[in-house]
Amino acid sequence: MTLQCEDGESVLKKTIAAVFFTLKVRHISKVYVTDRRIVIKNRKNEHIKISFDHIHEITVEDQFRLCIRCNTPQRFFTEREEYTRLYLHGLKKKEGGVIAPLDDAKWPDAWRRYLNSLVKKYQTAVAKKKREMQNEEDELLFIEGIQRRPNGLDPFAIVKTKEKVHVWFDDTELNVCTVYATSDHLLVKIKSSDYLVVPYSVIYNTGPEGKDRIRITFSFSQEIEGFSAPLLKMFIKRIPEPGEEYPAKVQERWMEGWQEFFTQVTSAIKAHKGAISHDEMLEMLIEMKHSPTKYSLSSYAKQGWDRACGLAVDRFGGMDDLYLFQTFLLKEYEDMKNRGVAEPDTARQEAYMGSEMAYNAILAYINQHTRSR
């Protein structure tokens, strides 16, 4: 039994097992366990490669079967369908070289304990490394401070709001500037090809300055090209619309809106440690309801998609544990898949399929943005 390993990878254990993901077909396969993944090779030389990143849990089912549950739906071998569960049943050789199932409860239990220890060790190391990298990135961003540059928005920047306002840095007035608020910084357009980038990580606090300005205090003095002295504060002031009704009320709401926004983004910076934050997750779930993928589906499938997204938002709102939330999503995904297969009515089949696709998309997003439990 041989396996072509990746750089730095080593095979720790190997065995032969009956591998299946439906009860109809079982594949007699060689199973290799390395320090970072499980590789399964069947008699047709087809492979299943499951990184420890993609493993949600490993359990024993029906006493003799080992169940590996993935955190996102996977295609195994050349199957068209996607599955979240993969089963292994031990094998033994009888007289004459005949291979038979090994009905011994000790086999799956021993493999469950062994694999769980490897997965936990790997995922803990990955999570620790990501936290360290995030801390280094935060420190670099903090030291970098405000920058002046000739180019504007990055190609993939997500603009949360855009507004023309009066801007001051300390006592220097820049007059009317366009301010873009992205997910991680303010971009102040002074004029064409002249921009200031203010990372949220350099903001110490914010608050009202008089009745019409918002004050942004920096964590440390900022040396910015074109300014004669280091800067400590930034101020923004709303430009009223001509002929607007109730200007005082509009001004009050404007102040409250920006203040709430600054509180939200600075809190997210402080709380973020490399894994997806609670607010980011909730925002994604809400936006997922309007995903472009949904609009290519039939009307019944769209209803299923909306139902799944709504249920995910409701469940996540009362749950702080991402691992438990993934467990809920996986269960719902599997239920929708099984109901779709058993349902004779075409419209309901499409609705179940829409829900299945939505749960798949949510699981893929979580898997892409975080690896820690």
Side-chain angles (χ1 to χ4, degrees):
M1 296 174 70
T2 59
L3 173 70
Q4 181 138 16
C5 293
E6 299 174 347
D7 290 342
E9 183 182 26
S10 56
V11 175
L12 304 178
K13 204 166 184 178
K14 47 195 176 183
T15 188
I16 298 177
V19 176
F20 55 100
F21 23 91
T22 70
L23 295 176
K24 295 179 181 178
V25 181
R26 302 193 177 203
H27 303 263
I28 307 301
S29 306
K30 298 175 182 178
V31 181
Y32 303 84
V33 178
T34 77
D35 52 358
R36 65 186 68 162
R37 59 180 176 160
I38 299 170
V39 180
I40 299 169
K41 179 181 175 183
N42 67 11
R43 289 175 170 177
K44 296 180 181 178
N45 209 29
E46 298 167 344
H47 290 78
I48 298 174
K49 299 175 183 179
I50 305 175
S51 167
F52 290 164
D53 282 328
H54 296 144
I55 294 178
H56 183 68
E57 62 181 353
I58 300 174
T59 57
V60 174
E61 292 192 6
D62 297 336
Q63 195 175 0
F64 303 126
R65 296 187 306 191
L66 183 73
C67 174
I68 300 172
R69 196 178 191 188
C70 300
N71 55 26
T72 49
Q74 309 277 334
R75 280 192 174 88
F76 299 135
F77 295 139
T78 56
E79 288 286 318
R80 292 183 180 179
E81 291 289 326
E82 292 182 325
Y83 302 92
T84 56
R85 296 174 188 260
L86 182 72
Y87 298 95
L88 277 71
H89 195 131
L91 297 174
K92 63 180 179 181
K93 280 189 177 181
K94 298 177 70 175
E95 292 182 11
V98 178
I99 295 177
L102 176 63
D103 292 334
D104 183 353
K106 293 180 181 178
W107 186 91
D109 189 58
W111 275 96
R112 176 189 62 79
R113 285 186 278 109
Y114 176 69
L115 290 175
N116 270 328
S117 67
L118 291 179
V119 171
K120 184 177 180 181
K121 180 180 178 182
Y122 175 86
Q123 292 184 346
T124 300
V126 169
K128 182 180 178 183
K129 186 176 180 181
K130 289 186 75 173
R131 283 195 297 270
E132 291 172 352
M133 290 174 66
Q134 185 65 38
N135 289 338
E136 289 175 8
E137 185 179 322
D138 289 345
E139 288 170 9
L140 288 172
L141 185 63
F142 186 83
I143 294 168
E144 185 179 41
I146 298 174
Q147 292 183 329
R148 196 164 194 163
R149 70 187 192 191
N151 56 304
L153 288 168
D154 297 324
F156 300 104
I158 299 174
V159 178
K160 296 181 178 290
T161 186
K162 169 189 172 184
E163 186 176 351
K164 284 193 174 183
V165 291
H166 288 292
V167 176
W168 291 260
F169 281 92
D170 286 347
D171 296 326
T172 303
E173 183 176 1
L174 301 182
N175 208 350
V176 179
C177 300
T178 302
V179 173
Y180 302 84
T182 75
S183 55
D184 56 10
H185 66 269
L186 287 180
L187 183 69
V188 181
K189 181 181 179 182
I190 302 172
K191 59 184 179 180
S192 181
S193 300
D194 191 6
Y195 296 85
L196 290 174
V197 180
V198 184
Y200 298 140
S201 58
V202 304
I203 296 176
Y204 178 67
N205 62 32
T206 61
E209 184 75 10
K211 294 183 178 180
D212 56 1
R213 293 200 300 175
I214 292 177
R215 181 193 67 256
I216 301 166
T217 304
F218 305 131
S219 301
F220 58 97
S221 58
Q222 302 290 313
E223 300 274 356
I224 305 174
E225 180 187 348
F227 292 86
S228 58
L231 304 176
L232 293 171
K233 296 177 182 179
M234 172 182 172
F235 304 90
I236 60 174
K237 179 181 177 181
R238 176 176 166 270
I239 300 174
E241 295 287 339
E244 65 186 15
E245 296 182 358
Y246 309 108
K249 195 66 178 176
V250 174
Q251 175 68 27
E252 182 184 345
R253 289 177 179 171
W254 179 86
M255 298 274 284
E256 290 174 352
W258 273 103
Q259 185 60 44
E260 183 180 345
F261 174 76
F262 284 128
T263 300
Q264 180 184 355
V265 294
T266 52
S267 298
I269 287 287
K270 292 172 185 174
H272 194 65
K273 295 298 180 186
I276 184 171
S277 72
H278 188 278
D279 287 344
E280 287 173 322
M281 184 68 200
L282 193 57
E283 184 179 359
M284 180 279 297
L285 291 173
I286 294 169
E287 290 178 352
M288 189 67 76
K289 193 170 182 179
H290 307 288
S291 168
T293 305
K294 183 183 83 169
Y295 295 104
S296 63
L297 304 178
S298 70
S299 59
Y300 294 112
K302 286 177 185 175
Q303 292 175 22
W305 181 288
D306 288 344
R307 177 197 171 278
C309 291
L311 188 59
V313 170
D314 289 344
R315 182 57 63 94
F316 184 73
M319 188 178 291
D320 292 327
D321 192 319
L322 186 60
Y323 176 76
L324 292 178
F325 183 56
Q326 283 181 290
T327 303
F328 161 75
L329 293 173
L330 286 165
K331 181 180 181 301
E332 287 296 311
Y333 171 84
E334 292 167 348
D335 284 350
M336 294 302 104
K337 190 178 183 69
N338 293 335
R339 289 184 186 184
V341 171
E343 178 58 57
D345 183 74
T346 305
R348 289 185 178 180
Q349 280 181 4
E350 291 181 11
Y352 289 138
M353 181 197 69
S355 294
E356 178 189 330
M357 290 178 67
Y359 288 127
N360 193 341
I362 295 169
L363 287 163
Y365 178 91
I366 297 173
N367 191 45
Q368 180 182 354
H369 285 80
T370 184
R371 294 286 184 262
S372 59
R373 290 188 174 187

